[in-house]
Amino acid sequence: MNFSEVFKQSNQLCKVSPDGKYLATCVQYRLVVRDMSTLQILQLYTCLDQISHMDWSSDSLFILCAMYKRGLVQVWSLEQPDWHCKIDEGSIGLLSSRWSPDGRHILNTTEFHLRITVWSLCTKAVSYIKYPKACQKGIDFSRDGCYMALAERRDCKDYVSVFVCDDWHLLRHFETETQDLGGLEWSPNGCVLAVWDSCLEYKVLLYSLDGRLLSTYSAYEWSLGVKTVTWSPSSQFLAIGSYDEKVRVLNHITWKKITQFEHPATINNTKAVVYKEVERRPAVGADDLSLHNITIGTTLFNTQSKYEICPPPVQIPVVKPDPDRANPKIGVSTLAFSSDSRYLATKNDNMASVVWVWDMQNMSLEAVLEQCSAVRCFQWDPRRPRLALCTGNSKLYLWSPAGCVSVEVPTEGGFQVQSLNWHCSGDSLILLVSKYHLLGTKCVQKHYFKTL
Amino acid sequence: MPESSLDKDICSSSECRTPPLRQFSQSSLPLHRKSYMLSTFCTEQNVQECQSHINQEVSSLGLQPVWTESGSSSEMNVVAVLNCMYDLIQMHRRGLRSLENMEVEQLKSSGNVDYLQLTSTRLKEQLELSKRENTGLLERERQLQLKVKSLQNCLKNEKEEVQKLQNIIASRASQYNHEMKRKEREFNKLKERLNQLLIDKKEKKQAIDVLNNIGRADGKRSLWKTEKTEAKHEAEMYKALLSDYDTRQRELLLENAELNKVLQQMKKDMVSILSSKKPILKGDKYQDDGAQADSEDEEEVFDSSKESVELYCVHAREKLTNSIRLQWRRLKSHVERLDSQASLAQMGGSRNNDAVSQETHKEEMDRLKLEIQQCKDFIQTQQQLLQQQLSSPCDEETASLLSDCYMLQEKERLGDEWKTLEEQRTIFERERRNFTEAAIRLSHERKAFEEDRATWLKHQFLNLSPFPDSKKPPMSKSKSAFLISETKASATSAPEKLIRCPSGTNLPTPGCVPHTSSTADLYRTLCLIPENGATKPKRKSDHAEESGVFFNGKAPVRHKQWNDSEEHSSHTKEQNSSI
């Protein structure tokens, strides 16, 4: 595993272009584009203010930089460095900005979700979409980029509008049977739209592309419901994580529950492998613990860790959430299918230090990774069944069906890995370390597996 | 308790004993009295009366009268009297015996009575206890019932509470929803207002500033929105949906076809199983359901199998599933029947079945034997092949491996041999020790014998000499001195002593030889063994011959050998120590 040097970044803005050739990072008000293979700077753009959002167009030709405070969006071209485009939303304000799938339109959501402005870079045309709903995930493009589903709220009722992205033609507009729509997501094949209610009610609705209601699913009532919904890449499964610490998996034919994955505090499953991270701190004398040493020495925090396989039953640390607070830290909040739809990784919020990996072929628990600290982020390799995760320390953890490994990230000054991103080839990982620094790592798969 | 019962027993027995005694005394009292008053009972005067009285008494006892009064003469019939007396004695004895028996019985019964009384008291206690328990339980039950009642009340209260809370929640929810809606409306109104204001203001600020327009990603020009495009979009959407449904249907068809195949296979198997079973169980089957039904079934099966060509036809599918269901039911019933038969056979164990089973057993056995033979052959061929492979150096690795294996085997065998050798060695050692001990004992005995001989010779010699008495003291002195030195020497080394003692005593000691010379000689023999080596074995053999008196046959020769070996061993020991 090779690590690159550390690059500066701000606001955790660092993205690889969709074609995997370039790496764009934002440092204050500058946008830096590097070549992915050599990490040499290709282009350097200067924006009008500190960049709060940055995104690549789907054809990797343009980069969008949004400055929400100023209500400004600037677009840069890679091919023509002197080409520029500036969109000013004016006094209405800017909340979020995104590319349309064709990479020629920019959708800006104004403040208070007043409307969505669609700017065309081809014709300079502007169009408005009124009544967008402020919710968890109110807008979603189908994977082929043909359709956009938008959640709307009019007269205290929820609607979904389906637009053709080509010319922003409103294809369908229908009312949904939700109390308070929480989010929507297209199936990867673009034919089914999953719509779910807010957490107050457990309700998942499945609509066909033409607006027909295919099915309704509700697991229980009177309790906090859906927390997150994810499609499998094969469109075969719809996984629903909820506040009752369970994941329910629906099938794509009858839209009924196939199975349900529970997250018990004690694992008795003998087939699952439980990896427990064990930290070994270097011995520190009492005099080493003085303030002086702590402030200076970073070696004090350099602990080594390794995984141990625990035989069942295994007790998992559980944090009891405060019932009086809103959005209690309980339930399955993160779901991720591996690229081959074979595995599902989940995280239960009241067991923040544990990642569960489920086998979707046998519908059973495959592995449990118990970390020493809370898991910040995990992501599947886009090519192989390989899971990378970080827990906000100086280590990177990788799981694959063959085993589990922790890698010490060679940083100076005890930087902590906050989040990570796979390169689309699955050969390298972008690690975002704290203190506004960025570190790209390159790990060659073959080498990694040989050493395992 | 036991003591009191014992007392009771005793007193009761005494009580029991008294009545028969009294009876006896009562019955015997007149007799006694009469015997006591025999002097007065029968006098010269009242012989007649006495006779008649006794006669009466005897007759009343059912015995022959003592005498007949036919004869006027009061001559006593002695024989009759004796008989009578004998009978009386017999009766008496019998009476006593029965008395004893009765006493024993009485004792027994009294014991029984005691035991029964004891048990009855115990049972009474138990009854009391259980009564008490019962009341306790009743009390507890009452309490529990009370508790249940209170709990039920609690439950009712709780339920009411829950209902109340639910109502509250529902009302709150509706209130909240209402509020939400109101707020949302207000919010929407505000939004509208804001929107209006923004539009009214005609803000110039909201703008796009592009250097030059860029082309579409697909390179086409954008089209005007017309009804045509709308229709096109619809068409595209439906196309997408259709293609999705198409792929899904294809998948389902594939799956369906596979499942159908499985079903067909299953059906075929079932039919074959049932048809093979039919001839055996025909009798049963005809009894169970008529022949007609059977033939019908068969026809149906046949039909369905014919129609299986048109797989996806609804009609055919129904038929297929129906026939499968039918077959399945039949198979199930068949299996059940078989089960019941098996259980019956197990329970009844009729001989016919046994005979059949034996036959089948035999067949099975034969078959298994054949199989075993085949397996053996197979193994043999395998071995041969293996050996061939071994003989031909096919692979270096395997060869080395095999050689390693052989080496290991060899090593193991060697180790085993080594172990056995070790064991043998230890055994030999033990035996040798035993023999050395025996030799020591023997040498001691020989020494004693030698001494005896020496003294005898000395005596002889002294008797022959002109001064038989004068030489005696030095001789004894020398001997004692020699003994002391010998013990000293023995203290130094035990094995040497073995050789020395006999040699020392064996010295031809004429009385004139002074003791110093004898010790010197001894030392010479001791230290200069190699010098006198030629003489020594001879002497030894002499000893052996001498000691042969004690042994018989070959023992002396062996003894000598041992001595030799021991000597040798001692030498080696010394060498070892020096080394």
Side-chain angles (χ1 to χ4, degrees):
Chain A
M1 204 178 264
N2 304 315
F3 289 90
S4 73
E5 55 180 311
V6 182
F7 303 117
K8 262 195 178 172
Q9 52 100 6
S10 56
N11 278 349
Q12 307 235 331
L13 291 174
C14 171
K15 274 178 182 153
V16 182
S17 64
D19 61 3
K21 284 180 187 164
Y22 311 106
L23 175 71
T25 50
C26 295
V27 185
Q28 303 295 329
Y29 51 87
R30 269 197 294 274
L31 171 70
V32 185
V33 181
R34 290 168 202 271
D35 187 86
M36 192 64 211
S37 51
T38 60
L39 294 172
Q40 295 294 311
I41 294 176
L42 289 177
Q43 295 293 344
L44 211 146
Y45 305 98
T46 311
C47 292
L48 293 166
D49 201 351
Q50 179 157 357
I51 301 160
S52 40
H53 176 70
M54 178 265 288
D55 201 3
W56 284 90
S57 69
S58 58
D59 52 6
S60 308
L61 292 175
F62 301 96
I63 305 168
L64 167 160
C65 293
M67 290 138 273
Y68 291 146
K69 273 184 198 164
R70 299 266 297 250
L72 269 178
V73 173
Q74 280 190 295
V75 185
W76 306 102
S77 164
L78 262 191
E79 286 179 330
Q80 302 163 268
D82 44 347
W83 183 90
H84 62 86
C85 169
K86 189 180 87 178
I87 298 165
D88 194 344
E89 283 291 343
S91 53
I92 200 164
L94 184 60
L95 211 66
S96 82
S97 180
R98 75 190 78 206
W99 283 101
S100 75
D102 64 352
R104 295 293 177 273
H105 295 83
I106 290 168
L107 284 83
N108 286 341
T109 310
T110 59
E111 232 168 325
F112 309 115
H113 285 86
L114 209 58
R115 64 190 184 200
I116 288 174
T117 336
V118 183
W119 300 90
S120 166
L121 298 183
C122 303
T123 61
K124 290 208 248 179
V126 189
S127 35
Y128 302 109
I129 302 168
K130 271 172 119 190
Y131 315 112
K133 188 173 164 126
C135 58
Q136 193 183 345
K137 192 177 183 185
I139 185 165
D140 193 37
F141 298 100
S142 62
R143 190 141 315 170
D144 59 357
C146 280
Y147 303 104
M148 177 181 89
L150 180 73
E152 295 178 4
R153 184 83 173 173
R154 293 181 196 186
D155 303 327
C156 305
K157 281 175 193 157
D158 289 318
Y159 296 88
V160 169
S161 294
V162 178
F163 291 93
V164 180
C165 292
D166 229 15
D167 53 3
W168 307 106
H169 168 72
L170 179 65
L171 190 69
R172 283 288 183 274
H173 179 75
F174 50 89
E175 196 186 327
T176 60
E177 295 172 21
T178 48
Q179 284 289 316
D180 179 19
L181 194 147
L184 42 77
E185 190 169 317
W186 286 107
S187 67
N189 62 11
C191 289
V192 183
L193 182 70
V195 175
W196 60 95
D197 220 325
S198 71
C199 63
L200 288 176
E201 208 167 331
Y202 196 116
K203 199 171 194 183
V204 176
L205 302 154
L206 292 146
Y207 289 95
S208 163
L209 179 58
D210 54 356
R212 281 180 300 122
L213 177 65
L214 294 172
S215 179
T216 309
Y217 179 74
S218 173
Y220 55 86
E221 286 176 300
W222 307 119
S223 178
L224 289 181
V226 179
K227 210 164 185 185
T228 182
V229 171
T230 306
W231 286 94
S232 76
S234 60
S235 306
Q236 202 180 353
F237 305 115
L238 182 68
I240 307 162
S242 53
Y243 278 92
D244 64 343
E245 305 177 54
K246 282 170 193 160
V247 174
R248 292 176 176 82
V249 180
L250 309 188
N251 70 8
H252 73 308
I253 293 170
T254 60
W255 303 111
K256 297 260 167 64
K257 186 181 81 179
I258 303 176
T259 185
Q260 124 181 341
F261 297 141
E262 294 183 26
H263 297 73
T266 317
I267 299 168
N268 291 315
N269 191 340
T270 49
K271 282 177 186 167
V273 185
V274 181
Y275 297 97
K276 186 180 175 139
E277 188 195 5
V278 181
E279 278 188 344
R280 272 176 302 156
R281 287 182 188 283
V284 180
D287 50 333
D288 288 339
L289 279 169
S290 62
L291 249 176
H292 177 72
N293 267 336
I294 287 170
T295 47
I296 291 176
T298 53
T299 51
L300 193 67
F301 301 105
N302 276 344
T303 54
Q304 291 181 324
S305 81
K306 58 167 182 158
Y307 280 111
E308 277 179 1
I309 291 174
C310 298
V314 180
Q315 194 76 31
I316 283 172
V318 179
V319 179
K320 255 208 158 176
D322 186 356
D324 295 334
R325 294 180 104 184
N327 299 318
K329 273 198 180 297
I330 189 169
V332 180
S333 66
T334 326
L335 293 170
F337 279 96
S338 67
S339 55
D340 56 357
S341 303
R342 172 77 199 266
Y343 299 103
L344 172 69
T346 63
K347 191 184 121 185
N348 188 8
D349 278 348
N350 52 335
M351 306 167 181
S353 60
V354 180
V355 173
W356 309 66
V357 181
W358 307 86
D359 186 348
M360 292 306 287
Q361 269 181 13
N362 305 321
M363 296 289 175
S364 62
L365 187 60
E366 170 85 14
V368 177
L369 312 182
E370 192 189 333
Q371 306 294 133
C372 288
S373 40
V375 176
R376 291 284 175 93
C377 168
F378 59 83
Q379 198 179 27
W380 285 98
D381 184 330
R383 294 289 172 88
R384 286 159 281 252
R386 186 161 61 152
L387 186 74
L389 56 139
C390 58
T391 62
N393 55 14
S394 63
K395 277 182 229 35
L396 164 71
Y397 305 95
L398 289 165
W399 176 89
S400 74
C404 212
V405 73
S406 81
V407 182
E408 177 81 31
V409 178
T411 57
E412 290 164 25
F415 287 123
Q416 291 161 345
V417 183
Q418 300 294 336
S419 118
L420 43 82
N421 262 312
W422 281 98
H423 186 259
C424 57
S425 67
D427 286 340
S428 45
L429 261 171
I430 317 295
L431 303 181
L432 298 169
V433 296
S434 65
K435 297 189 184 174
Y436 311 108
H437 276 66
L438 168 140
L439 183 100
T441 74
K442 284 200 155 188
C443 61
V444 181
Q445 168 115 32
K446 280 169 191 167
H447 172 69
Y448 162 61
F449 270 116
K450 265 191 181 167
T451 54
L452 196 73
Chain B
M1 274 291 281
E3 276 182 44
S4 66
S5 71
L6 210 85
D7 288 344
K8 256 187 193 170
D9 213 283
I10 290 160
C11 64
S12 68
S13 67
S14 63
E15 271 171 17
C16 300
R17 208 169 285 162
T18 41
L21 265 173
R22 208 174 293 149
Q23 279 171 8
F24 178 69
S25 62
Q26 271 174 356
S27 63
S28 61
L29 206 64
L31 277 173
H32 259 283
R33 210 176 285 147
K34 272 163 195 168
S35 65
Y36 274 126
M37 293 193 269
L38 201 65
S39 51
T40 48
F41 173 61
C42 186
T43 48
E44 296 284 332
Q45 291 87 20
N46 58 357
V47 169
Q48 283 295 323
E49 280 170 33
C50 283
Q51 269 179 1
S52 66
H53 182 75
I54 280 171
N55 231 13
Q56 263 179 6
E57 288 284 323
V58 165
S59 60
S60 75
L61 282 169
L63 297 171
Q64 291 273 322
V66 182
W67 64 83
T68 47
E69 288 186 64
S70 54
S72 57
S73 63
S74 59
E75 201 173 305
M76 278 228 289
N77 187 354
V78 177
V79 175
V81 166
L82 282 176
N83 273 338
C84 182
M85 273 176 73
Y86 177 74
D87 283 345
L88 277 171
I89 286 163
Q90 285 293 328
M91 270 172 75
H92 179 63
R93 283 219 179 114
R94 221 176 294 139
L96 276 177
R97 216 177 295 136
S98 63
L99 186 73
E100 247 170 49
N101 284 344
M102 273 165 80
E103 270 175 17
V104 166
E105 222 140 275
Q106 181 76 19
L107 260 174
K108 248 188 236 168
S109 59
S110 69
N112 270 344
V113 164
D114 276 348
Y115 175 71
L116 285 173
Q117 270 174 351
L118 212 75
T119 48
S120 78
T121 51
R122 211 180 298 145
L123 284 172
K124 264 180 197 163
E125 274 165 22
Q126 271 183 6
L127 187 73
E128 199 68 22
L129 210 80
S130 54
K131 264 183 188 168
R132 227 174 296 140
E133 262 176 33
N134 196 18
T135 49
L137 284 172
L138 278 172
E139 177 61 25
R140 243 171 72 190
E141 195 191 343
R142 201 179 57 80
Q143 280 174 0
L144 283 173
Q145 267 172 353
L146 276 177
K147 218 187 236 174
V148 164
K149 256 180 203 168
S150 67
L151 281 173
Q152 269 173 346
N153 278 336
C154 267
L155 186 69
K156 213 191 271 173
N157 288 342
E158 289 292 320
K159 268 184 183 167
E160 277 168 13
E161 192 80 2
V162 164
Q163 193 62 43
K164 222 189 279 170
L165 284 173
Q166 267 181 350
N167 286 339
I168 288 169
I169 286 169
S171 65
R172 285 219 170 175
S174 62
Q175 187 65 32
Y176 162 80
N177 278 338
H178 183 73
E179 287 287 314
M180 275 286 286
K181 270 185 186 164
R182 207 168 54 82
K183 288 263 164 71
E184 208 176 322
R185 274 197 201 106
E186 271 174 30
F187 182 54
N188 280 342
K189 249 183 234 167
L190 278 172
K191 266 184 172 176
E192 283 295 315
R193 181 97 182 109
L194 191 62
N195 232 347
Q196 203 61 44
L197 275 174
L198 279 169
I199 289 164
D200 283 352
K201 224 177 160 186
K202 289 275 179 197
E203 220 187 14
K204 285 279 180 275
K205 221 185 165 187
Q206 192 186 9
I208 181 164
D209 172 23
V210 186
L211 186 71
N212 54 329
N213 294 352
I214 50 172
R216 282 164 59 101
D218 51 4
K220 285 181 206 158
R221 297 171 83 193
S222 56
L223 296 162
W224 289 101
K225 271 192 195 178
T226 54
E227 289 201 354
K228 226 178 167 180
T229 55
E230 206 171 303
K232 203 186 83 190
H233 286 318
E234 287 282 313
E236 268 175 13
M237 180 192 80
Y238 283 121
K239 219 188 266 174
L241 275 178
L242 259 177
S243 68
D244 178 50
Y245 280 122
D246 217 43
T247 51
R248 226 194 273 180
Q249 205 212 348
R250 221 169 292 140
E251 276 168 24
L252 283 175
L253 267 182
L254 222 74
E255 208 178 313
N256 210 1
E258 244 164 67
L259 287 175
N260 255 321
K261 234 183 264 171
V262 171
L263 261 183
Q264 287 281 352
Q265 187 63 39
M266 223 164 92
K267 203 196 66 177
K268 238 183 257 169
D269 285 355
M270 275 199 273
V271 168
S272 65
I273 287 167
L274 282 174
S275 60
S276 66
K277 285 285 174 338
K278 243 169 217 163
I280 305 164
L281 294 156
K282 216 146 202 176
D284 290 347
K285 208 147 196 189
Y286 279 123
Q287 277 172 7
D288 283 357
D289 36 33
Q292 281 186 339
D294 232 43
S295 59
E296 264 178 41
D297 287 354
E298 270 170 34
E299 270 173 29
E300 244 177 75
V301 169
F302 199 62
D303 279 352
S304 65
S305 61
K306 254 187 197 167
E307 274 172 47
S308 65
V309 185
E310 331 157 42
L311 268 175
Y312 309 116
C313 177
V314 181
H315 194 63
R317 197 181 61 206
E318 252 174 40
K319 270 220 161 152
L320 179 69
T321 47
N322 277 340
S323 75
I324 290 263
R325 235 171 254 155
L326 202 90
Q327 296 282 330
W328 180 244
R329 223 172 292 144
R330 224 184 292 165
L331 193 71
K332 220 167 111 181
S333 66
H334 177 69
V335 168
E336 273 167 11
R337 203 183 305 135
L338 278 179
D339 257 13
S340 63
Q341 272 182 2
S343 62
L344 268 174
Q346 271 186 352
M347 278 164 67
S350 62
R351 276 186 191 176
N352 266 337
N353 270 3
D354 271 5
V356 169
S357 68
Q358 269 180 3
E359 272 178 22
T360 49
H361 267 290
K362 253 184 199 170
E363 278 175 19
E364 194 79 354
M365 284 280 275
D366 286 342
R367 207 166 55 72
L368 285 172
K369 271 179 190 165
L370 209 84
E371 224 167 87
I372 286 166
Q373 192 56 44
Q374 279 173 354
C375 283
K376 271 183 185 167
D377 288 347
F378 187 65
I379 287 163
Q380 232 167 12
T381 48
Q382 264 189 340
Q383 270 183 341
Q384 275 176 0
L385 281 172
L386 254 172
Q387 264 168 359
Q388 275 178 11
Q389 253 186 347
L390 279 175
S391 59
S392 59
C394 48
D395 201 332
E396 275 188 17
E397 272 186 23
T398 50
S400 65
L401 229 156
L402 281 167
S403 68
D404 276 356
C405 281
Y406 282 114
M407 284 289 282
L408 266 173
Q409 273 187 357
E410 205 75 74
K411 258 187 195 169
E412 269 181 21
R413 212 177 304 144
L414 274 171
D416 283 347
E417 276 180 4
W418 185 253
K419 228 179 265 171
T420 49
L421 273 171
E422 279 287 325
E423 274 172 18
Q424 278 179 353
R425 209 165 67 97
T426 50
I427 289 162
F428 276 132
E429 285 273 324
R430 213 182 306 135
E431 274 181 1
R432 202 170 60 182
R433 219 179 305 129
N434 288 344
F435 278 123
T436 48
E437 273 168 18
I440 290 164
R441 228 180 298 128
L442 191 73
S443 64
H444 275 298
E445 279 165 1
R446 197 191 298 149
K447 197 180 106 189
F449 174 71
E450 220 61 70
E451 271 175 6
D452 278 353
R453 205 169 67 123
T455 47
W456 184 77
L457 273 171
K458 195 170 67 187
H459 275 290
Q460 288 280 314
F461 185 71
L462 285 174
N463 284 345
L464 284 174
S465 69
F467 331 99
D469 293 317
S470 60
K471 284 284 173 181
K472 251 181 185 176
M475 180 61 209
S476 61
K477 206 179 175 181
S478 76
K479 196 188 172 187
S480 64
F482 164 71
L483 272 170
I484 288 158
S485 70
E486 196 182 60
T487 47
K488 270 180 189 168
S490 72
T492 54
S493 64
E496 277 177 339
K497 183 181 152 196
L498 261 174
I499 310 157
R500 202 188 310 150
C501 314
S503 65
T505 46
N506 197 29
L507 277 168
T509 47
C512 59
V513 179
H515 72 274
T516 46
S517 68
S518 74
T519 47
D521 198 37
L522 168 79
Y523 282 125
R524 204 189 60 223
T525 51
L526 269 175
C527 306
L528 307 173
I529 286 163
E531 226 178 57
N532 297 0
T535 56
K536 212 184 100 184
K538 198 184 167 188
R539 202 163 56 217
K540 264 202 178 157
S541 68
D542 285 350
H543 300 175
E545 273 169 15
E546 280 160 12
S547 62
V549 180
F550 300 101
F551 294 100
N552 289 326
K554 291 167 187 174
V557 184
R558 258 161 71 193
H559 175 227
K560 180 191 148 194
Q561 279 173 349
W562 295 326
N563 263 355
D564 276 349
S565 71
E566 194 173 75
E567 202 177 85
H568 181 71
S569 74
S570 73
H571 270 289
T572 51
K573 266 182 194 169
E574 277 167 9
Q575 272 173 4
N576 283 339
S577 65
S578 72
I579 287 160

